[in-house]
Amino acid sequence: MKAIISVIGVDQIGIIAEVSTLLAEKKVNIVDISQTILDDYFTMTMLVELDSLEIPLVKLKKELKVKGEKLGVSIKLQHEDIFRSMHRI
């Protein structure tokens, strides 16, 4: 199963490191990643594979939310199918 993770907030050192470390600890594989800085705002989108995830998806979403609050950014996780449905024209 794949999912999309989006991270948006004011740029600061360590955002990628913090998020990718949390994902690695939970056995989430980052398949693709795109990040950019728009003015002072950091934006990142990740395609991740959840096949080896060792905790319930709901718990991962909560941990990402807590990590985002700690970093002062918004972190959202959406199942790939939901993401595709929402962005279909």
Side-chain angles (χ1 to χ4, degrees):
M1 174 170 84
K2 292 183 182 172
I4 306 295
I5 297 174
S6 59
V7 182
I8 301 172
V10 176
D11 187 34
Q12 62 182 296
I13 295 170
I15 297 173
I16 296 172
E18 291 275 345
V19 175
S20 60
T21 297
L22 185 149
L23 294 173
E25 289 170 352
K26 304 306 178 199
K27 306 290 189 242
V28 175
N29 183 39
I30 299 169
V31 177
D32 200 357
I33 182 171
S34 172
Q35 68 87 32
T36 190
I37 309 297
L38 302 170
D39 201 7
D40 289 332
Y41 292 94
F42 174 87
T43 63
M44 176 169 64
T45 305
M46 307 168 101
L47 175 63
V48 297
E49 206 167 57
L50 303 171
D51 296 337
S52 299
L53 182 64
E54 297 180 337
I55 60 174
L57 188 59
V58 172
K59 186 168 183 188
L60 177 62
K61 284 183 177 186
K62 183 174 181 175
E63 289 191 27
L64 286 168
K65 182 179 180 198
V66 169
K67 179 64 74 177
E69 290 169 355
K70 176 184 166 208
L71 294 169
V73 300
S74 170
I75 303 177
K76 306 277 187 203
L77 182 146
Q78 293 178 302
H79 188 281
E80 182 183 34
D81 293 341
I82 294 170
F83 186 84
R84 286 181 191 271
S85 294
M86 288 176 51
H87 295 89
R88 189 176 300 150
I89 295 177

